[in-house]
Amino acid sequence: MHRSHAHADMTDPIYGYLAPQGFLPQLTEEIGSDAMETLGRLILAPARPVAWAANRWEAPIRIQIASIGDGAKKLRDIQRNWVLTPHLHHRRAALIEEKLPKVSAKPIVFGSPAPTAPLGSWMLIAPDTILASPRCSSPFPNGEVRFVEDKTAPPNRAYLKLWEFFTVTGEKPGAGQTCLDLGSSPGGWSWVLQGLGAKVISVDKAPLDPRVASLAGIEFRQASAFALEPAMVGPVDWLFSDVVCYPERLLTLVEKWRASGLARRFVCTLKFQTPTDFATMRRFAAIPGSRLMHLHNNKHELTWALP
Ligand SMILES: C[S@@+](CC[C@H](N)C(=O)[O-])C[C@H]1O[C@@H](n2cnc3c(N)ncnc32)[C@H](O)[C@@H]1O
């Protein structure tokens, strides 16, 4: 799909924004008239903040290829590590992929750092044309962060969102820091934070799983997150929220805590109904110094963080 492009100068660098699986409509709406071309899940557009992207191709280039072997050679001549982003000509792309060095897609153990080796992305956009980006924002294949899961200790799979956030940002609470975990039941996030050695104030209207509730360092308060006044809690190093609520209501809660000056950092899940609330999403994105991102382990959600 080609569209006329009103804003970009011909010399502006062009990036490729890869929609998370199932969220191309959100990415399309977010990029709007900045989009220059859509290739499967990839939208080419100038530099701009984007939340609904699993990966950003930093410098996409078109490469003409004479054959399968020639395609693989031209990619290998640039660098070792490439991951295919499926788009068109699947069979031919698979044959090129077979001729490239294997890139490990093994799940990682939480606590190990994100890979540092450059990982490029490529796709076939015509039988004789590769679109490739040697550099991408994510060191994980197509931005998909997979972990060796713990199938016994945490009470649900929500813990994967925090594991991913801490891994991709490289930041996490230190031992002895105070974490307020809003909407904490059944306790996956509180379990992660407790495991890092943090002191956890865990708040939900529903009870915690007893196995989490009994862990040392977790204080549970059965209450509504919205009824909790910052002064009743006191200063916290991190405020986490995974409360199921309209993003607008979460924004009010965040603004209350920011005004109090009692929370140093925030990590909150914006949970969307259908249709996606882009207006509130933009208000979160506009909070100075904050980041809005779609984690691989997010559903119809975004993670908003204020360092
Ligand atoms: C997705 S779950 C949270 C999962 C949790 N982060 C974990 O890791 O186990 C959403 C939670 O929001 C809670 N919730 C909904 N409204 C709330 C409110 N007003 N105050 C506190 N918690 C609320 C629900 O009870 C539910 O437990």
Side-chain angles (χ1 to χ4, degrees):
M1 178 177 77
H2 289 265
R3 286 205 220 155
S4 70
H5 188 257
H7 314 302
D9 193 275
M10 290 304 279
T11 57
D12 282 349
I14 301 306
Y15 295 85
Y17 300 90
L18 182 70
Q21 290 276 8
F23 297 107
L24 181 59
Q26 280 75 9
L27 180 64
T28 303
E29 166 124 14
E30 185 179 14
I31 294 185
S33 62
D34 275 356
M36 304 172 79
E37 198 171 349
T38 299
L39 301 155
R41 284 197 285 138
L42 191 75
I43 299 184
L44 300 184
R48 42 159 298 142
V50 169
W52 290 99
N55 198 7
R56 185 170 91 156
W57 295 26
E58 304 293 355
I61 44 171
R62 278 163 217 263
I63 304 171
Q64 293 305 311
I65 61 167
S67 63
I68 288 161
D70 183 48
K73 179 175 183 310
K74 284 183 170 152
L75 288 174
R76 276 200 316 263
D77 283 349
I78 299 174
Q79 66 190 28
R80 181 188 184 278
N81 291 343
W82 290 99
V83 63
L84 171 64
T85 301
H87 174 39
L88 299 173
H89 315 291
H90 296 280
R91 170 100 189 106
R92 192 169 166 83
L95 293 171
I96 296 173
E97 190 182 29
E98 273 174 23
K99 293 186 182 295
L100 293 170
K102 293 281 165 284
V103 170
S104 167
K106 272 207 301 212
I108 63 164
V109 173
F110 175 60
S112 35
T116 50
L119 178 60
S121 300
W122 68 280
M123 61 168 56
L124 269 182
I125 55 174
D128 62 353
T129 313
I130 284 175
L131 185 76
S133 179
R135 295 287 173 274
C136 290
S137 64
S138 175
F140 295 93
N142 293 313
E144 296 177 4
V145 188
R146 292 181 208 285
F147 291 99
V148 177
E149 295 190 26
D150 185 331
K151 299 232 160 92
T152 50
N156 59 7
R157 296 183 78 243
Y159 72 96
L160 292 168
K161 290 187 269 185
L162 272 197
W163 275 11
E164 180 176 349
F165 178 82
F166 294 148
T167 303
V168 300
T169 62
E171 288 155 25
K172 60 186 182 220
Q177 289 199 320
T178 303
C179 296
L180 178 62
D181 182 12
L182 302 174
S184 59
S185 170
W189 285 26
S190 287
W191 171 80
V192 171
L193 300 169
Q194 192 269 353
L196 294 171
K199 277 170 43 193
V200 187
I201 304 168
S202 182
V203 179
D204 204 299
K205 294 193 294 188
L208 283 186
D209 181 293
R211 288 174 308 153
V212 178
S214 64
L215 294 171
I218 297 186
E219 173 199 329
F220 179 63
R221 298 193 194 178
Q222 193 152 5
S224 168
F226 302 101
L228 201 68
E229 291 306 320
M232 293 156 62
V233 179
V236 297
D237 296 299
W238 297 72
L239 182 152
F240 294 90
S241 169
D242 200 25
V243 174
V244 176
C245 65
Y246 289 109
E248 239 182 316
R249 204 164 178 217
L250 178 67
L251 185 58
T252 308
L253 182 144
V254 162
E255 291 303 7
K256 177 168 82 176
W257 275 91
R258 286 183 70 219
S260 79
L262 288 172
R264 281 178 51 211
R265 323 179 52 139
F266 293 78
V267 179
C268 302
T269 314
L270 277 66
K271 294 171 183 268
F272 295 104
Q273 311 273 334
T274 304
T276 309
D277 179 356
F278 284 94
T280 307
M281 182 196 103
R282 290 191 187 102
R283 289 171 67 197
F284 268 101
I287 296 175
S290 73
R291 277 183 74 178
L292 195 55
M293 65 192 109
H294 187 274
L295 302 173
H296 177 62
N297 288 288
N298 278 343
K299 302 179 186 112
H300 188 200
E301 301 169 333
L302 292 173
T303 296
W304 174 80
L306 185 61

